[in-house]
Structure formats: C-alpha cells, structure tokens
Amino acid sequence: MPGPEAPIRRPGTWRNLFFSMALVFLVVAGWFALMPRSAPIARAEVDVVAKAREVNAQAGWPVQVIDGVPGWRATSVSWARSEEGLPTWQAGYHRLPDDQAYVLVGQTRPGSDGADRAALGSWLVRQVRDGARVGEQRIGSATWERFISGDQQARRSLVMRVTTAAPALTTVVTGNLTFEELGQLAGSLRAVAARGSSPASPQSLGWSPPTGSPLPGSPRPGTPLALVAPVVVAPAIRA
C-alpha cells in the first residue's frame, strides 16, 4: 500500500522575501539604537584674559590674546620658560563647532645678552616646526613672514620678529589653517594690560617689519606644542 504523498513545497514569493528583510532590518536597527555611545568630550575653556593680565602685572610683558573673532575659544594657556630658557607666553584656541581647527599664539622677548638672542633663533625654528619660509603677508601696517612645515598635515605659521626695543614681543601665530585665516587672527591680537590700564594694539607696542632673512640658527628637534594642555602660570618668571 503506497504511503502518504509528501507535501508539495512551493517557492517563496517576493512578498515574503520583502517582509523577511524588513523584519531583519528592524531587529538590527533596534539593536544599534540600544548600543551605548560615548559622548564627545568638550574641551574646557580657560580664562586667557585673566592669565594675560597676571603676566603683565608680574613681568610687565604686554602679552596678547585673540580678540573679536567669533567662533574661537581659548582652550590652553601657559607662561613658562622654553627649552631655550626664554620666558614664553602661549595661548591655544579651538574653533567651534567642529573643534578640529586650532591656532596657537606664542610670544617671547630675548634679553640684551647675545646668548638670549641666539636662543631666539632656535625658539622660532621650533615654533614653526622647522617650516620653510614661503613669503610675506601684510596685516594692517605690519609685515609678517609666512612659514609652512613639511608635516603630513600642513601647518602654517605667521611670524613677527621684533627688531626694536622693549616692550614689543616676537610673535608666532601657527595652526592648521589657511594663511588668510591666520592673518585674520593675527590682526585681531590685542595686548591685555594690567588692571587700571588701557589695552594696546600691536602697532602701539613698537612692531617693526621683519628683516626678510631666513630664521637664524639650525633646526633643533623639539616636542610639538600641546594645544590642549593644563593651565600653567609660573609666577616666578620676570623679564
């Protein structure tokens, strides 16, 4: 006696396939939505104006801060001696909202002895990361030198070398920006005076055009400048 016939399996339809794929998609989407995500860590903003005022009161240096350029916030500031022994002011800024664009303002002034002036050449080479000089840029009534480093990610710098007497400061504005953007920030620099005094512009502090010659001194290896560093204010440094 013949056994029962096996049931006939019919091939699935496109409709069933569509519903199956939709169900899988919903399951995966739900799983992804429930996964924990780490929130982005926002860089803390520092009171760079207050620190600059302290430096001016302690050392009499008219150090400068970026002023009046929307979208930029100060994220680091330091007042300490460099590897060359030069008192150095540094203020780092990040741009909102992407927080990937950054710029660093570095300032120093050598003393009257020849050793300090020789150290300034090494200081400059390190600030521009051994960059090559690629011309000049006029900002207001002053002429700045342009430098670009050979790093994988181009780093551009504007340098104002002071050839006059105090209180002017040699200044470097460097970052991962175009020269036009750096020029806007360099042009916005304002000195922060001690309490009870009026702020000064770069022109009023004795800026003079650079000589146009390459940076003195041979390149020296240096640690890249940290843009997101703890606030450091060294009260013992004086001019």
Side-chain angles (χ1 to χ4, degrees), residues 18-237:
F18 172 78
F19 281 119
S20 298
M21 293 181 63
L23 180 60
V24 172
F25 174 79
L26 290 175
V27 172
V28 172
W31 173 77
F32 182 78
L34 295 176
M35 286 182 61
R37 296 181 182 81
S38 57
I41 301 176
R43 291 180 174 89
E45 188 169 0
V46 300
D47 191 348
V48 67
V49 174
K51 301 305 177 185
R53 188 173 287 118
E54 289 180 19
V55 172
N56 196 322
Q58 294 167 9
W61 282 31
V63 295
Q64 297 177 308
V65 299
I66 292 174
D67 179 54
V69 183
W72 288 90
R73 63 177 179 177
T75 53
S76 69
V77 61
S78 68
W79 167 241
R81 290 195 180 274
S82 67
E83 293 181 9
E84 296 79 14
L86 295 176
T88 299
W89 163 261
Q90 290 181 337
Y93 297 80
H94 279 80
R95 182 169 60 192
L96 300 175
D98 56 14
D99 213 25
Q100 297 301 313
Y102 63 88
V103 68
L104 185 69
V105 178
Q107 293 185 302
T108 191
R109 183 176 68 212
S112 57
D113 58 273
D116 272 3
R117 294 192 178 278
L120 179 61
S122 175
W123 183 90
L124 283 170
V125 169
R126 206 161 47 80
Q127 298 300 304
V128 301
R129 292 191 177 180
D130 196 19
R133 188 177 185 275
V134 292
E136 298 179 345
Q137 182 169 335
R138 193 75 175 173
I139 302 174
S141 60
T143 302
W144 295 62
E145 294 175 271
R146 285 180 167 185
F147 289 83
I148 186 167
S149 70
D151 297 344
Q152 185 176 2
Q153 183 179 8
R155 182 176 180 124
R156 297 173 178 83
S157 305
L158 292 175
V159 175
M160 169 63 69
R161 283 187 282 174
V162 173
T163 58
T164 58
L169 302 174
T170 292
T171 302
V172 177
V173 180
T174 182
N176 60 346
L177 307 174
T178 65
F179 282 120
E180 288 70 23
E181 291 173 315
L182 286 176
Q184 181 186 17
L185 297 175
S188 76
L189 289 175
R190 293 293 179 270
V192 178
R195 292 190 181 278
S197 303
S198 301
S201 65
Q203 290 72 23
S204 66
L205 296 174
W207 294 120
S208 64
T211 60
S213 58
L215 292 178
S218 57
R220 287 182 48 182
T223 305
L225 300 176
L227 291 175
V228 188
V231 175
V232 178
V233 179
I237 294 180

